[in-house]
Amino acid sequence: MPQIPETIHELSVGQLSARSGAAVSALHFYESKGLISSRRTSGNQRRYQRDALRRVAFVRAAQRVGIPLATIREALAELPEERTPTRADWARLSEAWRSELDERITQLSRLRDHLTDCIGCGCLSLETCVLSNPDDVFGERHSGSRLMVERGNNRKADGSGGRKQERKPEGCC
């Protein structure tokens, strides 16, 4: 990783990319989403303040754990513009995400634990299926191929063939 002398207060997009490990296209995307900012030189080249390094690191770390860009942008908006964010700044921002991450961990654990049950089903419409169709209205009444029989017997007099009934998501029975 190339070192940038402390006397340089602004970085080109190439320098920021090399130092942060983010692709130039990612930096342009981050800027378009308001996550980082730059100024333009007289030659229309981007120049980033040194604190953009920490902001990019924060964005990438937050993305790795699944924090949406809009949430990241809101968090970055709370940081001071006049100085490089401190460890305390980052700790305060990341603490707000702790409960959201804990909930995701709980959901992923539940999905992992139910994975075996769902794979053996074949139709992916078990009453307890939490993978492909967690809010399956039909699955609460029946499971499996029986739904196809139920649908066939409920033809409407108007010729709609029952199409106005609740539908199962694609990939289910």
Side-chain angles (χ1 to χ4, degrees):
M1 190 175 308
Q3 294 296 318
I4 300 169
E6 290 292 324
T7 56
I8 297 177
H9 297 288
E10 290 186 322
L11 309 173
S12 69
V13 70
Q15 289 171 319
L16 182 59
S17 173
R19 186 78 171 101
S20 69
V24 169
S25 59
L27 297 173
H28 290 170
F29 177 74
Y30 293 162
E31 189 171 357
S32 73
K33 297 298 180 184
L35 301 169
I36 59 175
S37 61
S38 68
R39 72 168 186 86
R40 296 292 184 133
T41 66
S42 59
N44 203 29
Q45 296 175 335
R46 289 178 167 92
R47 291 293 184 260
Y48 298 90
Q49 294 293 319
R50 288 183 71 89
D51 70 323
L53 282 169
R54 288 209 182 161
R55 290 173 187 269
V56 170
F58 182 73
V59 169
R60 295 183 77 196
Q63 282 185 300
R64 265 187 240 113
V65 296
I67 304 297
L69 287 179
T71 304
I72 297 169
R73 183 177 48 249
E74 290 169 8
L76 289 172
E78 295 179 24
L79 294 176
E81 290 289 333
E82 69 279 356
R83 66 172 171 79
T84 300
T86 64
R87 183 180 189 109
D89 292 327
W90 297 127
R92 180 176 43 83
L93 292 176
S94 63
E95 182 62 32
W97 297 337
R98 188 177 268 312
S99 63
E100 182 180 336
L101 292 174
D102 287 342
E103 178 59 30
R104 278 198 203 158
I105 290 167
T106 300
Q107 288 173 348
L108 287 171
S109 296
R110 193 175 317 124
L111 288 173
R112 180 202 59 218
D113 295 344
H114 287 89
L115 184 63
T116 304
D117 295 338
C118 197
I119 294 213
C121 167
C123 72
L124 297 176
S125 186
L126 289 172
E127 291 177 20
T128 60
C129 183
V130 294
L131 293 177
S132 66
N133 199 9
D135 298 319
D136 183 3
V137 175
F138 287 113
E140 291 175 9
R141 292 181 283 182
H142 307 287
S143 66
S145 60
R146 182 174 180 163
L147 288 176
M148 297 302 283
V149 173
E150 180 180 313
R151 281 187 181 165
N153 291 336
N154 286 338
R155 301 246 180 233
K156 298 226 181 243
D158 65 3
S160 69
R163 285 181 294 241
K164 293 182 181 176
Q165 293 181 3
E166 298 171 36
R167 293 185 153 227
K168 294 182 64 60
E170 241 180 84
C172 292
C173 301

